[in-house]
């Protein structure tokens, strides 16, 4: 399988004003590293507000003007410039947005899906393709002439997915696609991503829903206070979680109702609260003295990765 996306040591920060006119550089994402191949679903799992949606914005080159981006984002081995991102987005790399509010309330669905194509022959060709994809997702011809307010939640979600596929993308970034949906619509939405995988499309699923991640993802990247602390394989989330590596990932798994609902005291540090050491230091039961002042690097273990001194060579 061809590797599609490489995110290498990416950090995103914002200039924040404190008392008076003093400034500080507030890091929201630090040293983020992950990769995704064609025909693979990688879920990035983290709590709301942890900064994971900024990853999608960085990939598409739509970060706010006051954001500072460091590190490398590569697509098919090539480091992307801002111009590259603008040329690829909506074509080879597409977004399935978090909210159905991305649909224009004043435009008919078909017109939104096709976009501003002036050439009549190309427009006709794209219209035929749009109808074919819509049909695949159980959206009848009547949907083409509807406005967004006339769609059910499930229909609107299918429109967003179908529209994303119109450009024959290689990589789909789905940013929190399931919040607020009923159980049936969630399952239907996740099935769409499974079908994309079967078609050889790489899917980056950004979510805070561990059940959604476990339902579809091949690998799961665990996000904690702006860091990827572990990338685990789906089948590691079985049994007592003995194959999971990082103590936070183990705690997250054990906190599920099906696994005893065991909770760990403390809270996830907010941006700006993390000291020099490991972001999980205060809550960790297996910490070393060095964890307080040294920040562990992300250790590459093949398809799996972990940010923990316990797994260093010779530890």
């Amino acid at each position: 399988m061809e590797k599609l996306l490489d995110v290498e040591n990416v950090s995103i920060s914002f200039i924040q004003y404190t008392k008076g006119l003093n400034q500080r550089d507030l890091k929201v994402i630090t040293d983020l590293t992950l990769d995704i191949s064609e025909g693979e679903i990688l879920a990035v799992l983290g709590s709301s507000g942890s900064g994971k949606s900024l990853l999608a914005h960085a990939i598409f080159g739509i970060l706010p003007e006051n954001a500072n981006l460091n590190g490398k984002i590569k697509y098919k081995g090539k480091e992307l410039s801002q111009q590259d991102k603008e040329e690829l987005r909506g074509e080879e790399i597409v977004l399935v947005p978090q909210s159905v509010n991305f649909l224009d309330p004043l435009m008919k669905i078909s017109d939104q899906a096709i976009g501003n194509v002036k050439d009549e022959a190309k427009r006709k060709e794209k219209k035929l393709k749009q109808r074919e994809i819509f049909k695949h997702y159980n959206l009848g011809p009547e949907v083409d002439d509807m406005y967004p307010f006339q769609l059910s939640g499930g229909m609107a979600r299918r429109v967003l997915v179908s529209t994303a596929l119109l450009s024959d993308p290689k990589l789909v970034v789905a940013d929190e696609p399931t919040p607020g949906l009923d159980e049936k619509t969630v399952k239907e939405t996740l099935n769409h991503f499974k079908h994309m995988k079967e078609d050889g499309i790489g899917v980056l699923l950004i979510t805070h829903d561990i059940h959604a991640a476990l339902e579809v993802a091949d690998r799961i990247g665990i996000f904690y206070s702006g860091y990827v602390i572990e990338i685990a394989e789906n089948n590691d989330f079985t049994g007592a979680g003995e194959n999971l590596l990082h103590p936070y990932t183990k705690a997250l798994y054990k906190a599920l109702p099906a696994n005893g609902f065991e909770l760990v005291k403390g809270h996830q540090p907010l941006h700006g609260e993390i000291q020099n050491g490991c972001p999980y230091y205060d809550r960790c039961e297996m910490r070393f003295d060095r964890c307080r002042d040294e920040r562990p690097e992300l250790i590459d273990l093949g398809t799996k990765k972990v940010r923990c001194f316990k797994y260093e060579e010779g530890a």
Side-chain angles (χ1 to χ4, degrees):
M1 292 190 298
E2 182 182 12
K3 189 177 288 188
L4 294 174
L5 184 73
D6 263 309
V7 178
E8 299 178 1
N9 307 113
V10 163
S11 296
I12 300 173
S13 61
F14 297 87
I15 297 298
Q16 184 183 61
Y17 284 92
T18 55
K19 291 182 180 179
L21 295 177
N22 294 324
Q23 294 181 350
R24 68 168 177 171
D25 197 32
L26 182 66
K27 283 194 174 182
V28 181
I29 289 178
T30 305
D31 192 23
L32 190 157
T33 297
L34 55 80
D35 61 85
I36 181 169
S37 299
E38 61 184 11
E40 178 185 27
I41 301 177
L42 173 71
V44 173
L45 179 68
S47 61
S48 297
S50 61
K52 58 191 181 299
S53 287
L54 286 174
L55 170 60
H57 299 167
I59 293 169
F60 286 97
I62 54 174
L63 287 168
E65 287 187 9
N66 65 330
N68 297 311
L69 172 67
N70 292 297
K72 297 178 180 179
I73 298 176
K74 297 179 180 178
Y75 177 69
K76 294 184 177 179
K78 179 190 176 186
E79 185 176 353
L80 298 180
S81 65
Q82 179 63 25
Q83 183 178 340
D84 292 330
K85 293 174 183 179
E86 291 172 5
E87 290 174 357
L88 286 168
R89 69 189 184 207
E91 297 296 330
E92 287 194 37
I93 306 176
V94 299
L95 176 70
V96 176
Q98 182 175 152
S99 172
V100 296
N101 292 332
F102 275 74
L103 293 171
D104 188 330
L106 302 179
M107 284 183 69
K108 290 183 178 181
I109 296 302
S110 181
D111 292 335
Q112 294 192 53
I114 295 170
N116 186 26
V117 181
K118 294 181 179 179
D119 183 272
E120 192 58 38
K122 288 183 178 178
R123 183 175 176 82
K124 186 176 181 181
E125 181 183 340
K126 200 164 185 180
K127 170 67 179 175
L128 290 171
K129 186 174 181 181
Q130 173 254 315
R131 178 86 310 273
E132 181 182 343
I133 293 175
F134 271 37
K135 182 180 179 182
H136 178 72
Y137 284 96
N138 296 317
L139 295 166
E142 69 281 359
V143 173
D144 293 3
D145 292 323
M146 288 182 175
Y147 290 92
F149 77 90
Q150 296 175 295
L151 305 176
S152 67
M155 290 169 71
R157 188 64 60 184
R158 276 180 273 153
V159 165
L160 290 173
V161 172
S162 301
T163 301
L165 294 176
L166 261 173
S167 62
D168 291 324
K170 304 297 183 186
L171 177 66
V172 171
V173 179
D175 184 13
E176 294 281 14
T178 58
L181 301 181
D182 60 77
E183 188 175 345
K184 179 184 176 184
T185 308
V186 167
K187 191 172 182 64
E188 183 182 81
T189 301
L190 294 177
N191 281 336
H192 299 333
F193 298 128
K194 289 180 182 178
H195 294 150
M196 291 180 194
K197 173 187 170 178
E198 291 167 2
D199 291 336
I201 297 171
V203 179
L204 178 61
L205 173 63
I206 297 171
T207 183
H208 68 269
D209 185 346
I210 187 170
H211 296 289
L214 291 174
E215 177 71 23
V216 297
D218 299 290
R219 293 185 297 147
I220 298 172
I222 306 297
F223 217 58
Y224 187 84
S225 294
Y227 294 83
V228 168
I229 58 168
E230 179 171 357
I231 295 179
E233 296 178 351
N234 188 298
N235 56 17
D236 291 331
F237 291 84
T238 53
E242 61 273 9
N243 292 323
L244 297 170
L245 303 177
H246 198 281
Y248 173 67
T249 313
K250 291 175 181 285
L252 185 69
Y253 180 65
K254 290 179 180 178
L256 294 174
N259 298 328
F261 204 57
E262 296 179 26
L263 301 180
V264 176
K265 290 183 179 180
H267 70 281
Q268 187 168 156
L270 300 173
H271 308 303
E273 288 184 346
I274 302 171
Q275 303 304 313
N276 293 329
C278 175
Y280 195 61
Y281 175 80
D282 288 338
R283 305 175 73 187
C284 185
E285 294 182 353
M286 52 176 267
R287 64 194 180 201
F288 305 119
D289 289 341
R290 64 186 293 201
C291 300
R292 181 183 359 218
D293 301 312
E294 293 182 53
R295 189 162 295 158
E297 300 291 331
L298 193 65
I299 300 168
D300 193 335
L301 301 172
T303 57
K304 299 165 65 165
K305 295 176 174 62
V306 65
R307 188 183 297 278
C308 184
F309 289 127
K310 180 182 177 182
Y311 302 96
E312 280 188 342
E313 262 187 64

